[in-house]
PDB file of all heavy atoms in Angstrom:
ATOM      1  N   TYR U1033     -11.969  34.026  16.450  1.00 93.00           N
ATOM      2  CA  TYR U1033     -10.617  34.204  15.948  1.00 93.00           C
ATOM      3  C   TYR U1033     -10.107  32.856  15.482  1.00 93.00           C
ATOM      4  O   TYR U1033     -10.293  31.843  16.164  1.00 93.00           O
ATOM      5  CB  TYR U1033      -9.710  34.755  17.057  1.00 93.00           C
ATOM      6  CG  TYR U1033      -8.247  34.668  16.741  1.00 93.00           C
ATOM      7  CD1 TYR U1033      -7.698  35.421  15.700  1.00 93.00           C
ATOM      8  CD2 TYR U1033      -7.406  33.836  17.469  1.00 93.00           C
ATOM      9  CE1 TYR U1033      -6.352  35.333  15.397  1.00 93.00           C
ATOM     10  CE2 TYR U1033      -6.059  33.751  17.173  1.00 93.00           C
ATOM     11  CZ  TYR U1033      -5.533  34.489  16.134  1.00 93.00           C
ATOM     12  OH  TYR U1033      -4.210  34.393  15.832  1.00 93.00           O
ATOM     13  N   SER U1190       6.975  44.930  34.794  1.00 83.00           N
ATOM     14  CA  SER U1190       7.637  44.517  33.561  1.00 83.00           C
ATOM     15  C   SER U1190       8.433  45.696  33.044  1.00 83.00           C
ATOM     16  O   SER U1190       8.055  46.840  33.235  1.00 83.00           O
ATOM     17  CB  SER U1190       6.599  44.151  32.494  1.00 83.00           C
ATOM     18  OG  SER U1190       5.767  43.126  32.918  1.00 83.00           O
ATOM     19  N   LEU U1192      11.076  47.021  29.578  1.00 70.00           N
ATOM     20  CA  LEU U1192      11.733  46.755  28.312  1.00 70.00           C
ATOM     21  C   LEU U1192      13.138  47.294  28.450  1.00 70.00           C
ATOM     22  O   LEU U1192      13.280  48.514  28.518  1.00 70.00           O
ATOM     23  CB  LEU U1192      11.120  47.466  27.129  1.00 70.00           C
ATOM     24  CG  LEU U1192       9.655  47.713  26.868  1.00 70.00           C
ATOM     25  CD1 LEU U1192       9.114  48.918  27.488  1.00 70.00           C
ATOM     26  CD2 LEU U1192       9.392  47.601  25.392  1.00 70.00           C
ATOM     27  N   GLU U1206      19.309  52.075  36.762  1.00 82.00           N
ATOM     28  CA  GLU U1206      20.710  52.091  36.333  1.00 82.00           C
ATOM     29  C   GLU U1206      20.861  52.028  34.811  1.00 82.00           C
ATOM     30  O   GLU U1206      21.799  52.566  34.254  1.00 82.00           O
ATOM     31  CB  GLU U1206      21.473  50.917  36.970  1.00 82.00           C
ATOM     32  CG  GLU U1206      21.791  51.157  38.439  1.00 82.00           C
ATOM     33  CD  GLU U1206      22.291  49.902  39.126  1.00 82.00           C
ATOM     34  OE1 GLU U1206      22.474  48.868  38.440  1.00 82.00           O
ATOM     35  OE2 GLU U1206      22.479  49.962  40.346  1.00 82.00           O
ATOM     36  N   ARG U1207      19.924  51.342  34.179  1.00 83.00           N
ATOM     37  CA  ARG U1207      19.977  51.253  32.719  1.00 83.00           C
ATOM     38  C   ARG U1207      19.279  52.453  32.080  1.00 83.00           C
ATOM     39  O   ARG U1207      19.367  52.664  30.877  1.00 83.00           O
ATOM     40  CB  ARG U1207      19.299  49.933  32.287  1.00 83.00           C
ATOM     41  CG  ARG U1207      19.294  49.682  30.803  1.00 83.00           C
ATOM     42  CD  ARG U1207      20.643  49.151  30.296  1.00 83.00           C
ATOM     43  NE  ARG U1207      20.763  49.297  28.858  1.00 83.00           N
ATOM     44  CZ  ARG U1207      20.165  48.522  27.960  1.00 83.00           C
ATOM     45  NH1 ARG U1207      19.449  47.488  28.354  1.00 83.00           N
ATOM     46  NH2 ARG U1207      20.273  48.741  26.681  1.00 83.00           N
ATOM     47  N   LYS U1210      13.003  54.203  30.035  1.00 93.00           N
ATOM     48  CA  LYS U1210      12.103  55.327  29.836  1.00 93.00           C
ATOM     49  C   LYS U1210      10.645  54.913  29.999  1.00 93.00           C
ATOM     50  O   LYS U1210       9.746  55.758  29.938  1.00 93.00           O
ATOM     51  CB  LYS U1210      12.315  55.937  28.446  1.00 93.00           C
ATOM     52  CG  LYS U1210      13.773  56.273  28.116  1.00 93.00           C
ATOM     53  CD  LYS U1210      14.423  57.204  29.144  1.00 93.00           C
ATOM     54  CE  LYS U1210      15.870  57.539  28.759  1.00 93.00           C
ATOM     55  NZ  LYS U1210      16.597  58.173  29.883  1.00 93.00           N
ATOM     56  N   LEU U1211      10.393  53.620  30.126  1.00 93.00           N
ATOM     57  CA  LEU U1211       9.042  53.099  30.319  1.00 93.00           C
ATOM     58  C   LEU U1211       9.095  52.031  31.389  1.00 93.00           C
ATOM     59  O   LEU U1211      10.007  51.216  31.394  1.00 93.00           O
ATOM     60  CB  LEU U1211       8.508  52.439  29.040  1.00 93.00           C
ATOM     61  CG  LEU U1211       8.346  53.282  27.790  1.00 93.00           C
ATOM     62  CD1 LEU U1211       7.971  52.377  26.612  1.00 93.00           C
ATOM     63  CD2 LEU U1211       7.260  54.329  27.982  1.00 93.00           C
ATOM     64  N   ASP U1224       5.742  33.692  36.765  1.00 67.00           N
ATOM     65  CA  ASP U1224       5.964  34.888  35.946  1.00 67.00           C
ATOM     66  C   ASP U1224       6.200  34.557  34.490  1.00 67.00           C
ATOM     67  O   ASP U1224       6.638  35.423  33.726  1.00 67.00           O
ATOM     68  CB  ASP U1224       7.136  35.739  36.482  1.00 67.00           C
ATOM     69  CG  ASP U1224       6.828  36.335  37.840  1.00 67.00           C
ATOM     70  OD1 ASP U1224       5.674  36.195  38.292  1.00 67.00           O
ATOM     71  OD2 ASP U1224       7.727  36.932  38.434  1.00 67.00           O
ATOM     72  N   GLU U1225       5.904  33.330  34.081  1.00 78.00           N
ATOM     73  CA  GLU U1225       6.101  32.971  32.686  1.00 78.00           C
ATOM     74  C   GLU U1225       4.813  32.484  32.042  1.00 78.00           C
ATOM     75  O   GLU U1225       4.827  31.999  30.918  1.00 78.00           O
ATOM     76  CB  GLU U1225       7.181  31.879  32.569  1.00 78.00           C
ATOM     77  CG  GLU U1225       8.568  32.302  32.995  1.00 78.00           C
ATOM     78  CD  GLU U1225       9.216  33.252  32.012  1.00 78.00           C
ATOM     79  OE1 GLU U1225       8.902  33.173  30.805  1.00 78.00           O
ATOM     80  OE2 GLU U1225      10.020  34.094  32.449  1.00 78.00           O
ATOM     81  N   GLY U1226       3.697  32.593  32.756  1.00 89.00           N
ATOM     82  CA  GLY U1226       2.455  32.057  32.240  1.00 89.00           C
ATOM     83  C   GLY U1226       1.821  32.946  31.183  1.00 89.00           C
ATOM     84  O   GLY U1226       2.307  34.040  30.898  1.00 89.00           O
ATOM     85  N   ILE U1229      -2.330  38.058  30.029  1.00 96.00           N
ATOM     86  CA  ILE U1229      -3.695  38.535  29.805  1.00 96.00           C
ATOM     87  C   ILE U1229      -3.698  39.995  29.381  1.00 96.00           C
ATOM     88  O   ILE U1229      -4.384  40.388  28.445  1.00 96.00           O
ATOM     89  CB  ILE U1229      -4.562  38.364  31.081  1.00 96.00           C
ATOM     90  CG1 ILE U1229      -4.499  36.926  31.583  1.00 96.00           C
ATOM     91  CG2 ILE U1229      -6.000  38.795  30.818  1.00 96.00           C
ATOM     92  CD1 ILE U1229      -5.148  36.713  32.948  1.00 96.00           C
ATOM     93  N   GLU U1230      -2.927  40.809  30.070  1.00 96.00           N
ATOM     94  CA  GLU U1230      -2.921  42.243  29.769  1.00 96.00           C
ATOM     95  C   GLU U1230      -1.596  42.849  30.213  1.00 96.00           C
ATOM     96  O   GLU U1230      -0.964  42.361  31.158  1.00 96.00           O
ATOM     97  CB  GLU U1230      -4.101  42.918  30.482  1.00 96.00           C
ATOM     98  CG  GLU U1230      -4.150  44.430  30.460  1.00 96.00           C
ATOM     99  CD  GLU U1230      -4.330  45.072  29.092  1.00 96.00           C
ATOM    100  OE1 GLU U1230      -4.076  44.413  28.071  1.00 96.00           O
ATOM    101  OE2 GLU U1230      -4.727  46.242  29.056  1.00 96.00           O
ATOM    102  N   GLN U1231      -1.200  43.923  29.517  1.00 95.00           N
ATOM    103  CA  GLN U1231       0.024  44.655  29.838  1.00 95.00           C
ATOM    104  C   GLN U1231      -0.198  46.132  29.594  1.00 95.00           C
ATOM    105  O   GLN U1231      -1.025  46.520  28.778  1.00 95.00           O
ATOM    106  CB  GLN U1231       1.184  44.213  28.922  1.00 95.00           C
ATOM    107  CG  GLN U1231       1.504  42.749  28.969  1.00 95.00           C
ATOM    108  CD  GLN U1231       2.705  42.402  28.116  1.00 95.00           C
ATOM    109  OE1 GLN U1231       2.680  42.553  26.914  1.00 95.00           O
ATOM    110  NE2 GLN U1231       3.762  41.925  28.758  1.00 95.00           N
ATOM    111  N   VAL U1233       2.135  50.182  30.098  1.00 93.00           N
ATOM    112  CA  VAL U1233       3.352  50.871  30.526  1.00 93.00           C
ATOM    113  C   VAL U1233       3.020  52.310  30.897  1.00 93.00           C
ATOM    114  O   VAL U1233       1.961  52.828  30.565  1.00 93.00           O
ATOM    115  CB  VAL U1233       4.424  50.912  29.406  1.00 93.00           C
ATOM    116  CG1 VAL U1233       4.947  49.535  29.110  1.00 93.00           C
ATOM    117  CG2 VAL U1233       3.882  51.595  28.176  1.00 93.00           C
ATOM    118  N   ARG U1235       5.286  56.201  31.212  1.00 92.00           N
ATOM    119  CA  ARG U1235       6.543  56.848  30.853  1.00 92.00           C
ATOM    120  C   ARG U1235       7.238  57.390  32.103  1.00 92.00           C
ATOM    121  O   ARG U1235       6.584  57.970  32.973  1.00 92.00           O
ATOM    122  CB  ARG U1235       6.250  57.988  29.874  1.00 92.00           C
ATOM    123  CG  ARG U1235       7.449  58.616  29.228  1.00 92.00           C
ATOM    124  CD  ARG U1235       7.056  59.374  27.983  1.00 92.00           C
ATOM    125  NE  ARG U1235       6.881  58.488  26.861  1.00 92.00           N
ATOM    126  CZ  ARG U1235       7.887  58.087  26.064  1.00 92.00           C
ATOM    127  NH1 ARG U1235       9.111  58.541  26.265  1.00 92.00           N
ATOM    128  NH2 ARG U1235       7.671  57.262  25.071  1.00 92.00           N
ATOM    129  N   HIS U1238      14.747  60.203  33.695  1.00 92.00           N
ATOM    130  CA  HIS U1238      15.943  60.074  34.534  1.00 92.00           C
ATOM    131  C   HIS U1238      15.715  60.695  35.911  1.00 92.00           C
ATOM    132  O   HIS U1238      16.401  60.355  36.859  1.00 92.00           O
ATOM    133  CB  HIS U1238      17.135  60.751  33.851  1.00 92.00           C
ATOM    134  CG  HIS U1238      16.929  62.221  33.622  1.00 92.00           C
ATOM    135  ND1 HIS U1238      16.510  62.740  32.424  1.00 92.00           N
ATOM    136  CD2 HIS U1238      17.041  63.290  34.445  1.00 92.00           C
ATOM    137  CE1 HIS U1238      16.400  64.045  32.524  1.00 92.00           C
ATOM    138  NE2 HIS U1238      16.706  64.412  33.731  1.00 92.00           N
ATOM    139  N   ASN U1274       0.655  28.639  25.690  1.00 90.00           N
ATOM    140  CA  ASN U1274       1.194  29.618  26.621  1.00 90.00           C
ATOM    141  C   ASN U1274       0.756  31.045  26.305  1.00 90.00           C
ATOM    142  O   ASN U1274       1.415  31.994  26.673  1.00 90.00           O
ATOM    143  CB  ASN U1274       2.728  29.554  26.660  1.00 90.00           C
ATOM    144  CG  ASN U1274       3.268  30.109  27.971  1.00 90.00           C
ATOM    145  OD1 ASN U1274       2.626  29.958  29.004  1.00 90.00           O
ATOM    146  ND2 ASN U1274       4.412  30.772  27.919  1.00 90.00           N
ATOM    147  N   HIS U1275      -0.376  31.183  25.594  1.00 92.00           N
ATOM    148  CA  HIS U1275      -0.857  32.533  25.369  1.00 92.00           C
ATOM    149  C   HIS U1275      -2.370  32.581  25.564  1.00 92.00           C
ATOM    150  O   HIS U1275      -2.988  31.579  25.931  1.00 92.00           O
ATOM    151  CB  HIS U1275      -0.439  33.063  23.999  1.00 92.00           C
ATOM    152  CG  HIS U1275      -1.051  32.347  22.848  1.00 92.00           C
ATOM    153  ND1 HIS U1275      -0.553  31.180  22.346  1.00 92.00           N
ATOM    154  CD2 HIS U1275      -2.145  32.635  22.101  1.00 92.00           C
ATOM    155  CE1 HIS U1275      -1.297  30.793  21.319  1.00 92.00           C
ATOM    156  NE2 HIS U1275      -2.270  31.650  21.166  1.00 92.00           N
ATOM    157  N   THR U1276      -2.935  33.744  25.359  1.00 95.00           N
ATOM    158  CA  THR U1276      -4.370  33.915  25.561  1.00 95.00           C
ATOM    159  C   THR U1276      -4.987  34.580  24.339  1.00 95.00           C
ATOM    160  O   THR U1276      -4.332  35.318  23.610  1.00 95.00           O
ATOM    161  CB  THR U1276      -4.672  34.847  26.758  1.00 95.00           C
ATOM    162  OG1 THR U1276      -4.128  36.148  26.480  1.00 95.00           O
ATOM    163  CG2 THR U1276      -4.100  34.304  28.045  1.00 95.00           C
ATOM    164  N   VAL U1278      -7.963  37.191  23.931  1.00 96.00           N
ATOM    165  CA  VAL U1278      -8.754  38.098  24.764  1.00 96.00           C
ATOM    166  C   VAL U1278      -9.756  38.838  23.885  1.00 96.00           C
ATOM    167  O   VAL U1278      -9.374  39.662  23.049  1.00 96.00           O
ATOM    168  CB  VAL U1278      -7.842  39.109  25.504  1.00 96.00           C
ATOM    169  CG1 VAL U1278      -8.679  40.001  26.414  1.00 96.00           C
ATOM    170  CG2 VAL U1278      -6.779  38.391  26.315  1.00 96.00           C
TER     171      VAL U1278
ATOM    172  N   TYR J 950      19.962  68.415  36.612  1.00 93.00           N
ATOM    173  CA  TYR J 950      19.504  67.261  37.363  1.00 93.00           C
ATOM    174  C   TYR J 950      20.622  66.825  38.300  1.00 93.00           C
ATOM    175  O   TYR J 950      21.788  66.787  37.899  1.00 93.00           O
ATOM    176  CB  TYR J 950      19.130  66.116  36.420  1.00 93.00           C
ATOM    177  CG  TYR J 950      18.963  64.789  37.092  1.00 93.00           C
ATOM    178  CD1 TYR J 950      17.922  64.590  37.995  1.00 93.00           C
ATOM    179  CD2 TYR J 950      19.843  63.743  36.848  1.00 93.00           C
ATOM    180  CE1 TYR J 950      17.769  63.369  38.643  1.00 93.00           C
ATOM    181  CE2 TYR J 950      19.695  62.524  37.486  1.00 93.00           C
ATOM    182  CZ  TYR J 950      18.658  62.343  38.389  1.00 93.00           C
ATOM    183  OH  TYR J 950      18.516  61.158  39.030  1.00 93.00           O
ATOM    184  N   SER J1107      11.780  45.804  21.291  1.00 83.00           N
ATOM    185  CA  SER J1107      11.784  45.488  22.715  1.00 83.00           C
ATOM    186  C   SER J1107      10.422  44.907  23.061  1.00 83.00           C
ATOM    187  O   SER J1107       9.414  45.267  22.466  1.00 83.00           O
ATOM    188  CB  SER J1107      11.974  46.762  23.535  1.00 83.00           C
ATOM    189  OG  SER J1107      13.175  47.390  23.236  1.00 83.00           O
ATOM    190  N   LEU J1109       7.953  43.381  26.582  1.00 70.00           N
ATOM    191  CA  LEU J1109       7.809  43.087  27.998  1.00 70.00           C
ATOM    192  C   LEU J1109       7.198  41.712  28.080  1.00 70.00           C
ATOM    193  O   LEU J1109       6.005  41.593  27.731  1.00 70.00           O
ATOM    194  CB  LEU J1109       6.871  44.030  28.728  1.00 70.00           C
ATOM    195  CG  LEU J1109       6.844  45.513  28.533  1.00 70.00           C
ATOM    196  CD1 LEU J1109       5.839  45.974  27.522  1.00 70.00           C
ATOM    197  CD2 LEU J1109       6.572  46.161  29.881  1.00 70.00           C
ATOM    198  N   GLU J1123       3.885  33.775  20.591  1.00 83.00           N
ATOM    199  CA  GLU J1123       3.597  32.545  21.340  1.00 83.00           C
ATOM    200  C   GLU J1123       3.260  32.817  22.800  1.00 83.00           C
ATOM    201  O   GLU J1123       2.484  32.102  23.415  1.00 83.00           O
ATOM    202  CB  GLU J1123       4.796  31.593  21.259  1.00 83.00           C
ATOM    203  CG  GLU J1123       4.888  30.877  19.921  1.00 83.00           C
ATOM    204  CD  GLU J1123       6.215  30.157  19.737  1.00 83.00           C
ATOM    205  OE1 GLU J1123       6.998  30.098  20.707  1.00 83.00           O
ATOM    206  OE2 GLU J1123       6.454  29.662  18.626  1.00 83.00           O
ATOM    207  N   ARG J1124       3.877  33.858  23.343  1.00 83.00           N
ATOM    208  CA  ARG J1124       3.604  34.206  24.741  1.00 83.00           C
ATOM    209  C   ARG J1124       2.366  35.106  24.848  1.00 83.00           C
ATOM    210  O   ARG J1124       1.882  35.373  25.950  1.00 83.00           O
ATOM    211  CB  ARG J1124       4.835  34.911  25.337  1.00 83.00           C
ATOM    212  CG  ARG J1124       4.711  35.304  26.781  1.00 83.00           C
ATOM    213  CD  ARG J1124       4.976  34.139  27.733  1.00 83.00           C
ATOM    214  NE  ARG J1124       4.441  34.426  29.049  1.00 83.00           N
ATOM    215  CZ  ARG J1124       5.004  35.229  29.953  1.00 83.00           C
ATOM    216  NH1 ARG J1124       6.163  35.770  29.698  1.00 83.00           N
ATOM    217  NH2 ARG J1124       4.417  35.459  31.098  1.00 83.00           N
ATOM    218  N   LYS J1127       0.947  41.773  24.695  1.00 93.00           N
ATOM    219  CA  LYS J1127      -0.076  42.753  24.345  1.00 93.00           C
ATOM    220  C   LYS J1127       0.524  44.090  23.949  1.00 93.00           C
ATOM    221  O   LYS J1127      -0.190  45.006  23.539  1.00 93.00           O
ATOM    222  CB  LYS J1127      -1.040  42.953  25.522  1.00 93.00           C
ATOM    223  CG  LYS J1127      -1.629  41.658  26.081  1.00 93.00           C
ATOM    224  CD  LYS J1127      -2.358  40.810  25.047  1.00 93.00           C
ATOM    225  CE  LYS J1127      -2.951  39.542  25.677  1.00 93.00           C
ATOM    226  NZ  LYS J1127      -3.365  38.576  24.645  1.00 93.00           N
ATOM    227  N   LEU J1128       1.831  44.223  24.121  1.00 93.00           N
ATOM    228  CA  LEU J1128       2.545  45.441  23.738  1.00 93.00           C
ATOM    229  C   LEU J1128       3.838  45.044  23.052  1.00 93.00           C
ATOM    230  O   LEU J1128       4.510  44.119  23.502  1.00 93.00           O
ATOM    231  CB  LEU J1128       2.919  46.273  24.975  1.00 93.00           C
ATOM    232  CG  LEU J1128       1.819  46.829  25.857  1.00 93.00           C
ATOM    233  CD1 LEU J1128       2.424  47.448  27.111  1.00 93.00           C
ATOM    234  CD2 LEU J1128       0.989  47.858  25.122  1.00 93.00           C
ATOM    235  N   ASP J1141      23.252  45.885  22.223  1.00 67.00           N
ATOM    236  CA  ASP J1141      21.875  45.955  22.711  1.00 67.00           C
ATOM    237  C   ASP J1141      21.774  46.114  24.220  1.00 67.00           C
ATOM    238  O   ASP J1141      20.719  45.919  24.798  1.00 67.00           O
ATOM    239  CB  ASP J1141      21.043  44.726  22.290  1.00 67.00           C
ATOM    240  CG  ASP J1141      20.842  44.675  20.792  1.00 67.00           C
ATOM    241  OD1 ASP J1141      21.222  45.643  20.107  1.00 67.00           O
ATOM    242  OD2 ASP J1141      20.291  43.681  20.312  1.00 67.00           O
ATOM    243  N   GLU J1142      22.917  46.450  24.862  1.00 78.00           N
ATOM    244  CA  GLU J1142      22.871  46.622  26.309  1.00 78.00           C
ATOM    245  C   GLU J1142      23.318  48.017  26.728  1.00 78.00           C
ATOM    246  O   GLU J1142      23.516  48.286  27.894  1.00 78.00           O
ATOM    247  CB  GLU J1142      23.776  45.573  26.986  1.00 78.00           C
ATOM    248  CG  GLU J1142      23.307  44.148  26.831  1.00 78.00           C
ATOM    249  CD  GLU J1142      22.062  43.850  27.648  1.00 78.00           C
ATOM    250  OE1 GLU J1142      21.857  44.473  28.706  1.00 78.00           O
ATOM    251  OE2 GLU J1142      21.286  42.984  27.212  1.00 78.00           O
ATOM    252  N   GLY J1143      23.543  48.892  25.766  1.00 89.00           N
ATOM    253  CA  GLY J1143      24.076  50.213  26.076  1.00 89.00           C
ATOM    254  C   GLY J1143      23.020  51.151  26.645  1.00 89.00           C
ATOM    255  O   GLY J1143      21.843  50.804  26.739  1.00 89.00           O
ATOM    256  N   ILE J1146      18.316  55.693  25.270  1.00 96.00           N
ATOM    257  CA  ILE J1146      17.975  57.093  25.010  1.00 96.00           C
ATOM    258  C   ILE J1146      16.455  57.273  25.001  1.00 96.00           C
ATOM    259  O   ILE J1146      15.930  58.198  25.595  1.00 96.00           O
ATOM    260  CB  ILE J1146      18.552  57.575  23.656  1.00 96.00           C
ATOM    261  CG1 ILE J1146      20.053  57.302  23.594  1.00 96.00           C
ATOM    262  CG2 ILE J1146      18.240  59.048  23.431  1.00 96.00           C
ATOM    263  CD1 ILE J1146      20.666  57.551  22.227  1.00 96.00           C
ATOM    264  N   GLU J1147      15.736  56.381  24.343  1.00 96.00           N
ATOM    265  CA  GLU J1147      14.285  56.542  24.230  1.00 96.00           C
ATOM    266  C   GLU J1147      13.650  55.181  23.980  1.00 96.00           C
ATOM    267  O   GLU J1147      14.270  54.290  23.407  1.00 96.00           O
ATOM    268  CB  GLU J1147      13.961  57.523  23.082  1.00 96.00           C
ATOM    269  CG  GLU J1147      12.507  57.664  22.675  1.00 96.00           C
ATOM    270  CD  GLU J1147      11.582  58.218  23.738  1.00 96.00           C
ATOM    271  OE1 GLU J1147      11.939  58.189  24.935  1.00 96.00           O
ATOM    272  OE2 GLU J1147      10.465  58.651  23.392  1.00 96.00           O
ATOM    273  N   GLN J1148      12.402  55.056  24.439  1.00 95.00           N
ATOM    274  CA  GLN J1148      11.635  53.813  24.251  1.00 95.00           C
ATOM    275  C   GLN J1148      10.182  54.169  24.012  1.00 95.00           C
ATOM    276  O   GLN J1148       9.696  55.195  24.466  1.00 95.00           O
ATOM    277  CB  GLN J1148      11.694  52.943  25.511  1.00 95.00           C
ATOM    278  CG  GLN J1148      13.078  52.550  25.954  1.00 95.00           C
ATOM    279  CD  GLN J1148      13.039  51.581  27.112  1.00 95.00           C
ATOM    280  OE1 GLN J1148      12.580  51.932  28.190  1.00 95.00           O
ATOM    281  NE2 GLN J1148      13.514  50.375  26.903  1.00 95.00           N
ATOM    282  N   VAL J1150       6.125  52.002  23.021  1.00 93.00           N
ATOM    283  CA  VAL J1150       5.427  50.748  22.735  1.00 93.00           C
ATOM    284  C   VAL J1150       4.181  51.025  21.911  1.00 93.00           C
ATOM    285  O   VAL J1150       3.707  52.152  21.828  1.00 93.00           O
ATOM    286  CB  VAL J1150       4.977  50.029  24.028  1.00 93.00           C
ATOM    287  CG1 VAL J1150       6.167  49.551  24.832  1.00 93.00           C
ATOM    288  CG2 VAL J1150       4.062  50.901  24.852  1.00 93.00           C
ATOM    289  N   ARG J1152       0.249  48.966  21.143  1.00 92.00           N
ATOM    290  CA  ARG J1152      -0.624  47.895  21.602  1.00 92.00           C
ATOM    291  C   ARG J1152      -0.912  46.913  20.480  1.00 92.00           C
ATOM    292  O   ARG J1152      -1.151  47.333  19.345  1.00 92.00           O
ATOM    293  CB  ARG J1152      -1.933  48.518  22.125  1.00 92.00           C
ATOM    294  CG  ARG J1152      -2.864  47.570  22.840  1.00 92.00           C
ATOM    295  CD  ARG J1152      -3.864  48.328  23.687  1.00 92.00           C
ATOM    296  NE  ARG J1152      -3.278  48.737  24.940  1.00 92.00           N
ATOM    297  CZ  ARG J1152      -3.223  47.960  26.033  1.00 92.00           C
ATOM    298  NH1 ARG J1152      -3.732  46.741  26.021  1.00 92.00           N
ATOM    299  NH2 ARG J1152      -2.668  48.396  27.128  1.00 92.00           N
ATOM    300  N   HIS J1155      -4.139  39.415  20.113  1.00 92.00           N
ATOM    301  CA  HIS J1155      -3.956  38.038  19.657  1.00 92.00           C
ATOM    302  C   HIS J1155      -4.162  37.908  18.150  1.00 92.00           C
ATOM    303  O   HIS J1155      -3.703  36.962  17.534  1.00 92.00           O
ATOM    304  CB  HIS J1155      -4.925  37.101  20.391  1.00 92.00           C
ATOM    305  CG  HIS J1155      -6.364  37.437  20.156  1.00 92.00           C
ATOM    306  ND1 HIS J1155      -7.111  38.186  21.049  1.00 92.00           N
ATOM    307  CD2 HIS J1155      -7.200  37.184  19.128  1.00 92.00           C
ATOM    308  CE1 HIS J1155      -8.336  38.333  20.586  1.00 92.00           C
ATOM    309  NE2 HIS J1155      -8.405  37.740  19.425  1.00 92.00           N
ATOM    310  N   ASN J1191      25.940  53.538  32.610  1.00 89.00           N
ATOM    311  CA  ASN J1191      25.158  52.815  31.611  1.00 89.00           C
ATOM    312  C   ASN J1191      23.764  53.397  31.428  1.00 89.00           C
ATOM    313  O   ASN J1191      22.841  52.716  31.024  1.00 89.00           O
ATOM    314  CB  ASN J1191      25.063  51.331  31.972  1.00 89.00           C
ATOM    315  CG  ASN J1191      24.794  50.482  30.738  1.00 89.00           C
ATOM    316  OD1 ASN J1191      25.237  50.827  29.637  1.00 89.00           O
ATOM    317  ND2 ASN J1191      24.033  49.408  30.906  1.00 89.00           N
ATOM    318  N   HIS J1192      23.574  54.666  31.774  1.00 92.00           N
ATOM    319  CA  HIS J1192      22.284  55.281  31.494  1.00 92.00           C
ATOM    320  C   HIS J1192      22.480  56.677  30.935  1.00 92.00           C
ATOM    321  O   HIS J1192      23.602  57.108  30.712  1.00 92.00           O
ATOM    322  CB  HIS J1192      21.388  55.268  32.733  1.00 92.00           C
ATOM    323  CG  HIS J1192      21.859  56.125  33.843  1.00 92.00           C
ATOM    324  ND1 HIS J1192      22.806  55.732  34.742  1.00 92.00           N
ATOM    325  CD2 HIS J1192      21.526  57.386  34.199  1.00 92.00           C
ATOM    326  CE1 HIS J1192      23.036  56.694  35.623  1.00 92.00           C
ATOM    327  NE2 HIS J1192      22.267  57.721  35.311  1.00 92.00           N
ATOM    328  N   THR J1193      21.363  57.327  30.660  1.00 95.00           N
ATOM    329  CA  THR J1193      21.419  58.662  30.056  1.00 95.00           C
ATOM    330  C   THR J1193      20.558  59.627  30.853  1.00 95.00           C
ATOM    331  O   THR J1193      19.593  59.224  31.505  1.00 95.00           O
ATOM    332  CB  THR J1193      20.868  58.661  28.618  1.00 95.00           C
ATOM    333  OG1 THR J1193      19.492  58.279  28.666  1.00 95.00           O
ATOM    334  CG2 THR J1193      21.637  57.739  27.701  1.00 95.00           C
ATOM    335  N   VAL J1195      18.295  62.720  29.792  1.00 96.00           N
ATOM    336  CA  VAL J1195      17.732  63.293  28.573  1.00 96.00           C
ATOM    337  C   VAL J1195      16.917  64.532  28.944  1.00 96.00           C
ATOM    338  O   VAL J1195      15.874  64.426  29.587  1.00 96.00           O
ATOM    339  CB  VAL J1195      16.838  62.274  27.830  1.00 96.00           C
ATOM    340  CG1 VAL J1195      16.312  62.886  26.536  1.00 96.00           C
ATOM    341  CG2 VAL J1195      17.603  60.995  27.539  1.00 96.00           C
TER     342      VAL J1195
END
Side-chain angles (χ1 to χ4, degrees):
Chain U
Y1033 166 66
S1190 301
L1192 322 86
E1206 284 169 5
R1207 181 79 197 284
K1210 309 304 181 193
L1211 298 173
D1224 294 353
E1225 295 288 331
I1229 307 171
E1230 171 65 341
Q1231 302 184 296
V1233 293
R1235 190 161 280 274
H1238 61 262
N1274 203 34
H1275 66 277
T1276 62
V1278 183
Chain J
Y950 166 66
S1107 300
L1109 317 94
E1123 283 168 8
R1124 181 81 198 283
K1127 308 304 181 194
L1128 298 172
D1141 294 353
E1142 294 289 331
I1146 307 171
E1147 171 63 341
Q1148 302 186 295
V1150 293
R1152 189 161 280 275
H1155 61 262
N1191 204 32
H1192 67 278
T1193 62
V1195 182

